[in-house]
Structure formats: C-alpha cells, structure tokens
Amino acid sequence: MTSATLPDSPASIRDEPAAPSAYGYLRVPADVPDHEMLCLEQALIAFAESEGWSFAGFFFEFRSGSRAGFNELIAELVRAGAHHVVVPSLRHLAAYTLLQNAMQDRLAIDAGAEVVAMRPDR
C-alpha cells in the first residue's frame, strides 16, 4: 500500500485561518437565458468574495414551489459548518416577505446561517 502526501495549502503555510465558506441559492425560472444565469452566478461569487468569504457552490430551484434545493442547501451548510448564504435578492428565497422570513429563520435555526442579499431591495 502506498500513501501520498498532499502539499501544504498556502493558508497552512502562512498559518492564516481559512476564509469562511459561503453558498449561493438561486431560483431559476425556465424563461431566463443561460447567459443571464451565468452572469448572475459570477456576480454572486464576486460578491461573496468581496465580503471575505470563500465561495463553495450553488444550490438551485428549477420548479416553482419546490424546496428540494433549499433542503439540500441546509444539509450542506450543516455538513460543512458554513454559515453564509448569498442570494441575488430575497425574492430568490420566495416571492412573499412572510415566506422569505420563514426561510431565513429556518436557515438560522437549522444551520446557524445568515442570508445576505446582493441587492436587498429587489
């Protein structure tokens, strides 16, 4: 049996703590062109990094009313010990404020996570 050692990561060489992880959550309507979604994804990654977070990945909802991606997001946040979710706006959580608040509460209670909207007013 052979074993391999991995090179030290730059953070461990400098003894700097790793940046906290952030995940993106997007609701994807069927009529939005792929290039627009790609631009939105890139903007979210840049936003997360500007906040000092290491972007870890996206979770998507493709069907209206579905929460499958949201449930997977919570499971991943708990597994990874991550506490940040970035969204383009709170409307990506839900169309209505009451449901937006309930989803944010669930993220906080189940995963200790906060939601940060890139454009909070849209």
Side-chain angles (χ1 to χ4, degrees):
M1 181 165 135
T2 62
S3 66
T5 54
L6 298 173
D8 290 332
S9 68
S12 65
I13 292 171
R14 294 186 306 264
D15 291 326
E16 293 176 9
S21 294
Y23 289 86
Y25 180 77
L26 295 162
R27 187 161 298 283
V28 184
D31 62 343
V32 175
D34 289 346
H35 71 277
E36 284 184 27
M37 286 308 300
L38 180 60
C39 288
L40 191 53
E41 289 172 14
Q42 291 170 338
L44 275 180
I45 291 168
F47 175 74
E49 291 173 350
S50 76
E51 294 290 316
W53 302 321
S54 173
F55 192 81
F58 287 102
F59 288 83
F60 299 95
E61 297 294 356
F62 295 100
R63 292 181 326 165
S64 180
S66 175
R67 296 285 176 261
F70 185 74
N71 292 331
E72 291 172 8
L73 169 63
I74 290 173
E76 177 59 16
L77 289 165
V78 170
R79 185 203 65 75
H83 304 288
H84 304 287
V85 176
V86 293
V87 293
S89 71
L90 293 179
R91 290 191 57 86
H92 278 261
L93 292 178
Y96 301 103
T97 304
L98 187 61
L99 188 51
Q100 291 170 5
N101 292 340
M103 292 175 76
Q104 289 180 83
D105 288 347
R106 181 158 175 232
L107 284 163
I109 292 166
D110 291 357
E114 70 170 329
V115 175
V116 179
M118 189 170 68
R119 297 181 305 250
D121 59 339
R122 293 186 191 168

